[in-house]
Amino acid sequence: MTTNRRAFIKTAGLGAAAAAGATTLAAPAVHGQSPIRWRLQTYAGPALAEHVIKPSIDAFNTVANGEMEIELFFADQLVPTGELFRAMQRGTIDAVQSDDDSIAAPVDISVFGGYFPFATRYSLDVPVLFNQYGLREIWEEAYGEIEGVTWLSAGAWDPCHFNTKNPIRSLEDLKGLRVFTFPTAGRFLSRFGVVPVTLPWEDVEVAVQTGELDGIAWSGITEDYTVGWSKVTPYFLTNNISGAWCGSYFANSERWDELPAHLKQLFRLCMDSSHYYRQHWYWGGEANLRVNGTDMQLTTIPEAEWQTVEDEAMTFWDEIAAESERNARVIEIFKKYNAVMKKAGPPYRSA
């Protein structure tokens, strides 16, 4: 009876409003309406995407409750990774999860996406730099100058180590190594004789097996085991050139602007959920697999010798700073941040 009365009152009210010529107000989405549909492509292959993005997209689709649905595509599935930015700009795809460097974002700060040498030591450095030291505002400024793409959020992934077919125990062992890596990381590593090689992500394992590649400098040990690289590269170098990969979410601006406020907020919450998941998944995985992993033998370049690489990174920083005024601001933030961390001492930086 109560249900019938409420239905009657609701129907009567709508009828009266129509009769009076009142403007119909926008109503919430009703089940049965066609949902908003997005296609999002990640930089990651299927096994890796199971951790770095899929849980958050599954959660979004559940909580969106029929109003919106995001279809997730993996590395190079719709568009080659290097063409992702232009495809998103054209509206071929609606959103992207990757780093600025790999997708060839046409902004000066793209060099800082992925692995910028020694900018970070730990994964927590990335969100602190963006949320407390001003990188967020710089990224928003840079992408605000580019038509058609909206930068949404940055987060941290794993550190950048070498996993190789032969052991690396000195800088001399790096010379001539054909390595799959990120553009800016490769640009830096070439100073030590490394030969950067660009391939589709899905071809990397076979390229190691056939001898096209001698190794990989694309991840930490967690990804090596997750995606199967640990089976073809039996050595893992404990020295790294960056403590955390810096990746972002982007969207086609028109599609983003079309979203109602609550769906934008839901997507932001799911991005944060993804960032949080990676913090603990990588942090725990890197330690656990060094200790308990059985596929890879750990090797190390002595600290005094590795210092040569760290020192060269400071020269590299200054060269990047000279490329644009905005790059110089980013480098200044890195220097300020690392000075604070060093003064703070353990656990922020070693004494």
Side-chain angles (χ1 to χ4, degrees):
M1 179 67 71
T2 302
T3 301
N4 290 340
R5 289 183 63 189
R6 286 177 178 169
F8 172 78
I9 292 170
K10 180 179 178 182
T11 304
L14 290 173
T23 301
T24 303
L25 299 177
V30 178
H31 290 293
Q33 289 182 345
S34 297
I36 299 167
R37 295 189 183 278
W38 271 18
R39 301 197 302 175
L40 186 157
Q41 184 169 310
T42 176
Y43 73 97
L48 183 57
E50 284 289 334
H51 293 279
V52 300
I53 188 170
K54 191 173 183 297
S56 65
I57 296 302
D58 288 345
F60 180 94
N61 288 337
T62 298
V63 181
N65 201 30
E67 290 187 61
M68 181 171 174
E69 184 175 333
I70 298 175
E71 188 174 4
L72 179 63
F73 294 88
F74 306 124
D76 305 307
Q77 195 171 356
L78 292 179
V79 180
T81 296
E83 299 174 18
L84 275 175
F85 192 92
R86 297 301 184 190
M88 177 171 45
Q89 203 170 31
R90 293 191 302 267
T92 305
I93 53 177
D94 304 300
V96 166
Q97 180 206 43
S98 186
D99 68 282
D100 323 59
D101 202 19
S102 296
I103 64 174
V107 290
D108 44 9
I109 57 167
S110 65
V111 293
F112 302 113
Y115 291 120
F116 191 74
F118 299 101
T120 60
R121 300 284 178 170
Y122 308 111
S123 58
L124 278 174
D125 290 338
V126 174
V128 173
L129 282 162
F130 273 85
N131 294 303
Q132 297 184 24
Y133 279 74
L135 290 195
R136 171 179 293 276
E137 289 76 14
I138 292 176
W139 259 245
E140 289 173 342
E141 171 193 301
Y143 284 99
E145 298 171 2
I146 304 298
E147 185 177 354
V149 170
T150 299
W151 174 84
L152 298 174
S153 179
W157 273 252
D158 51 341
C160 183
H161 292 263
F162 285 84
N163 50 301
T164 53
K165 295 170 70 173
N166 297 308
I168 298 174
R169 295 190 173 95
S170 71
L171 292 181
E172 187 67 25
D173 294 332
L174 295 177
K175 293 181 179 179
L177 281 183
R178 293 161 299 177
V179 171
F180 174 70
T181 190
F182 292 87
T184 298
R187 177 177 165 187
F188 174 69
L189 290 171
S190 65
R191 299 179 180 218
F192 302 93
V194 171
V195 180
V197 178
T198 301
L199 290 170
W201 188 90
E202 290 287 355
D203 294 344
V204 170
E205 185 173 339
V206 172
V208 173
Q209 293 173 306
T210 60
E212 186 179 352
L213 289 175
D214 300 307
I216 303 164
W218 201 83
S219 70
I221 200 168
T222 306
E223 289 191 11
D224 293 338
Y225 276 82
T226 300
V227 305
W229 290 342
S230 64
K231 299 296 184 184
V232 297
T233 53
Y235 296 96
F236 179 86
L237 182 65
T238 60
N239 311 80
N240 69 57
I241 66 161
S242 176
W245 189 72
C246 177
S248 291
Y249 286 81
F250 309 83
N252 174 276
S253 296
E254 185 176 347
R255 298 308 305 277
W256 177 253
D257 292 342
E258 287 172 353
L259 293 185
H262 69 289
L263 289 179
K264 287 182 178 178
Q265 188 59 40
L266 177 58
F267 192 71
R268 292 189 186 279
L269 290 170
C270 286
M271 287 189 292
D272 286 344
S273 171
S274 177
H275 294 330
Y276 171 71
Y277 180 98
R278 293 191 311 274
Q279 286 283 344
H280 64 77
W281 183 63
Y282 281 120
W283 184 254
E286 296 300 303
N288 177 58
L289 289 168
R290 284 194 188 196
V291 174
N292 298 312
T294 58
D295 292 346
M296 308 174 82
Q297 179 182 334
L298 306 183
T299 65
T300 301
I301 295 176
E303 186 176 342
E305 189 177 359
W306 190 250
Q307 188 63 45
T308 304
V309 182
E310 296 198 30
D311 292 343
E312 183 62 27
M314 298 304 100
T315 301
F316 186 71
W317 282 21
D318 290 338
E319 292 172 5
I320 296 297
E323 292 181 356
S324 76
E325 180 275 334
R326 189 155 46 212
N327 282 2
R329 280 189 277 148
V330 174
I331 293 296
E332 188 58 34
I333 287 173
F334 285 161
K335 290 180 177 180
K336 176 183 176 182
Y337 177 74
N338 279 284
V340 169
M341 294 296 107
K342 186 174 181 180
K343 288 181 180 178
Y348 299 95
R349 296 293 186 267
S350 58

